[in-house]
Structure formats: C-alpha cells, structure tokens
Amino acid sequence: MTEDPIKLFASRAERYPEPTEADAAQGAVRVALAAVPVLGGSLTEILSMVLTPALTRRRDDWFKELAEAFESVETKVNGFTTGDLQGNELFVSAAIQATRAAISTHQEEKRAALRNALVNIALGRAPQEDQVQMFLRYVEELTTWHLRVLRFFQSPANHLAAKGLRSEYMMGGGAQVLEDMYPELRGNREFYDQIATDLHSRGMLNSPPSFLHTSMTGSGMVAKRTTAIADAFLAFITSPI
C-alpha cells in the first residue's frame, strides 16, 4: 500500500533535524554561494550556516502545516482522503510550485493562501490548469498588502461593517474608505497607489488607480472594484472549509 504522500512529508519533517538532508541542503547552499565571485571562503561558510538551517526549518514547517490542513479536510469533507491525490498530476505540480513559494517567505498570510490553494485543487475547486500556475505565481509575487487591498475592494462595505466601521459615505475617493479600513496606510499614498497600479495592470481591478483620489458619491466609494479574474483568484486562495 502506497503511503499517504502528505503524511509522508509530515513524518519526514518530524525527524528534524535530519542530518543527511541538512548536509545536502548545506552543500547546495555552499555551491550556490561559491559561484558568486565576490564572496570569500569565510563569508561563504558564514552565510551557509545562516541559510541552511532556515531553509530546512521552513521546508519542514511547510510540510507540517500542509499535513495538518489536509488532516482537517479529511475530518470535514465526507469521502475525501488525501491518498486520493496520488496520480493527480495537477495537484503534484501545484504542490511543488507552492512549496517553492512557501519556502521563500516567512509571511503566514501568504503561506496560508498557498495552503488554501492546494486544498481547493484537491477538492476539485480549482480553475483551469494554466490559471492555477498563474494564480500561484501571483501569491508569490504580490505582497500581503496586495492581497489585503484586493480582498477589501471586492466588498468594501462588508469589510468595513465587519470591522465595526461606518460603511455609508456622502462623497469622497476610494482612498478614504481604504484608509478607514487600514489606518496604518494613512500618509502612505505612494505605497497604496502602487499597489492599485499593480493590481489594475494584472486585470484585477475594474477601475484605474485614479479612483482612489477621484471624488464620487458615497455608493461609488464603497462599490465593488474587483474583476471576475480577481474574484476567481480570491476564491482560489480562500479556505473552502
């Protein structure tokens, strides 16, 4: 009987630290650093000592998180078993891509988005194969603020209400409601303008970034700004459970 692949990952991670794997990772880091001509031998050793444990820890933590997520799905979705994923090439390819992205970040919000994406694929709730690759790449490339701003503009009024903030306005721009939702963005206009520009360039906002500073009615201020592809992306990185 073939062992459950996700649980196999978790069992391997629980043996952390694994000497042979650590040696292999350290060797890979040393080779990569040695290829940089400006680095001396001692600096190469120091950096490998810093990077190798972090890479190994992140990998093992990711496999544990993934195993826990799928164990939860098994208890909540009747008829689903992780073993059914054996032979699911879309899932395997996505898991490899998501694992590379997860190891490259320490931000839990992005790691959660990657886990949710894999769960959706496993449950047959993923978009077409090329969109899966594109959406996973978006998670890796975009910042957590891109994800928050995009989710907010999917339904500004609902997000404001859920936070106990006013959701009815007389007149103003989109920046006002965004700053009301996230006070830490006040005074950072260039930052969130760039975020809106990035999202619009990817076809994920249905209005150009100028809507943030264009005077409009109260209903326009809290209007939905996400496109169909943005809604599909957000559904893909949101837990279905």
Side-chain angles (χ1 to χ4, degrees):
M1 180 177 178
T2 305
E3 188 172 4
D4 182 318
I6 305 302
K7 291 181 179 178
L8 175 60
F9 292 157
S11 65
R12 292 185 64 188
E14 298 218 357
R15 297 200 303 269
Y16 175 85
E18 181 70 34
T20 57
E21 292 178 352
D23 290 343
Q26 187 174 25
V29 171
R30 283 177 174 170
V31 169
L33 293 174
V36 182
V38 297
L39 296 180
S42 60
L43 184 55
T44 298
E45 289 293 327
I46 292 172
L47 289 178
S48 69
M49 289 171 59
V50 172
L51 292 177
T52 300
L55 291 171
T56 304
R57 173 179 49 77
R58 286 188 180 187
R59 179 208 59 195
D60 292 346
D61 287 347
W62 166 249
F63 286 147
K64 289 178 183 178
E65 293 163 7
L66 204 55
E68 290 170 358
F70 276 89
E71 287 171 357
S72 177
V73 173
E74 287 182 332
T75 64
K76 296 177 180 178
V77 178
N78 291 332
F80 174 81
T81 59
T82 308
D84 293 340
L85 298 174
Q86 297 175 35
N88 185 332
E89 294 300 328
L90 174 60
F91 177 83
V92 172
S93 295
I96 294 171
Q97 185 178 355
T99 297
R100 288 198 300 262
I103 293 174
S104 71
T105 182
H106 66 283
Q107 296 173 312
E108 171 55 27
E109 195 168 341
K110 295 182 71 168
R111 291 166 72 96
L114 294 165
R115 288 197 305 272
N116 292 339
L118 293 181
V119 170
N120 277 307
I121 294 172
L123 294 178
R125 301 177 183 180
Q128 62 172 311
E129 185 171 344
D130 289 340
Q131 276 195 325
V132 166
Q133 296 177 29
M134 182 174 69
F135 286 168
L136 289 174
R137 178 167 53 82
Y138 283 176
V139 177
E140 183 172 15
E141 293 175 349
L142 298 175
T143 70
T144 55
W145 274 111
H146 284 85
L147 303 182
R148 293 170 195 165
V149 170
L150 184 65
R151 196 177 296 279
F152 173 70
F153 280 117
Q154 186 179 40
S155 183
N158 288 339
H159 284 285
L160 289 165
K163 200 173 179 180
L165 301 172
R166 65 170 180 161
S167 57
E168 295 182 1
Y169 295 83
M170 294 295 293
M171 185 171 288
Q176 182 178 342
V177 295
L178 180 63
E179 290 182 2
D180 285 348
M181 181 70 185
Y182 298 110
E184 57 267 51
L185 290 180
R186 289 178 183 148
N188 289 315
R189 172 173 173 170
E190 290 185 355
F191 177 62
Y192 61 71
D193 279 359
Q194 184 60 54
I195 288 175
T197 298
D198 294 343
L199 294 174
H200 184 257
S201 70
R202 282 179 163 84
M204 304 180 87
L205 290 180
N206 60 24
S207 302
S210 58
F211 85 90
L212 290 170
H213 309 290
T214 300
S215 183
M216 62 188 83
T217 64
S219 59
M221 293 173 68
V222 294
K224 171 182 167 66
R225 300 286 172 182
T226 54
T227 62
I229 195 168
D231 293 338
F233 170 68
L234 291 172
F236 181 59
I237 64 172
T238 299
S239 174
I241 307 301

